[in-house]
Amino acid sequence: ERDNIAVLQRLMASGKYAPDIRKAGYVIPPDGAIRLDGGIDSIEIKGDIDLKISYRGRGVTAYFEIEIDGKITSVLYELDKNLDIVSSAYFQTNEKNKNERVTIPQAEEERLLKIVQKELEAFMKKMYQTLYG
């Protein structure tokens, strides 16, 4: 089994794979920003949810927005090499237009994690096919 984190780290470490990532249909920063940052700082994956991923240190940060209880909720997950949650945060904008942290039921977190894992695995598979297919 490939180590998803190692693969992602290699893809994002420089601009080397930028054309391939774009060719596979994913959104990444422009080449100038990649050169300036010394690598790809984020990849946007359009799917069941519009996911923005980045590689930080030893794990993946996944960010997306989803409607929960009729409110737009910003979701931030830190994932380990098995794509399991290390930490999670949920924010909604309150009546005073301030972001406030909210909690969601465990079952909802598990459902969202499964979607994130599915999107990341599909991304890895597509990139593998693009690079080695």
Side-chain angles (χ1 to χ4, degrees):
E1 182 178 299
R2 297 187 311 269
D3 179 352
N4 287 325
I5 299 297
V7 172
L8 190 61
Q9 180 184 9
R10 205 165 21 259
L11 285 172
M12 297 178 80
S14 69
K16 179 179 176 183
Y17 298 106
D20 298 306
I21 295 170
R22 288 189 186 106
K23 187 172 88 182
Y26 300 102
V27 178
I28 58 174
D31 291 338
I34 293 171
R35 278 192 299 277
L36 198 63
D37 293 338
I40 299 167
D41 72 347
S42 66
I43 300 173
E44 291 179 39
I45 300 171
K46 304 280 187 213
D48 292 342
I49 54 175
D50 290 345
L51 190 59
K52 191 171 192 172
I53 60 167
S54 55
Y55 172 78
R56 298 279 183 264
R58 292 173 24 193
V60 174
T61 300
Y63 172 82
F64 59 98
E65 290 183 335
I66 195 157
E67 192 173 309
I68 298 176
D69 296 331
K71 287 188 171 184
I72 297 298
T73 305
S74 299
V75 180
L76 185 66
Y77 289 159
E78 295 287 335
L79 305 173
D80 65 15
K81 67 182 177 82
N82 299 317
L83 303 181
D84 290 321
I85 294 176
V86 175
S87 69
S88 60
Y90 304 90
F91 296 92
Q92 292 177 344
T93 304
N94 66 19
E95 306 78 40
K96 297 179 182 132
N97 225 15
K98 298 267 190 241
N99 268 346
E100 65 181 7
R101 196 169 184 148
V102 294
T103 56
I104 68 168
Q106 182 70 34
E108 181 67 359
E109 182 171 87
E110 288 168 11
R111 184 186 76 81
L112 293 174
L113 177 61
K114 279 187 176 41
I115 294 170
V116 169
Q117 289 169 334
K118 187 183 94 176
E119 297 291 345
L120 282 169
E121 286 161 8
F123 165 77
M124 295 295 186
K125 188 174 180 183
K126 189 167 187 181
M127 287 310 305
Y128 196 81
Q129 289 169 341
T130 300
L131 294 169
Y132 307 111

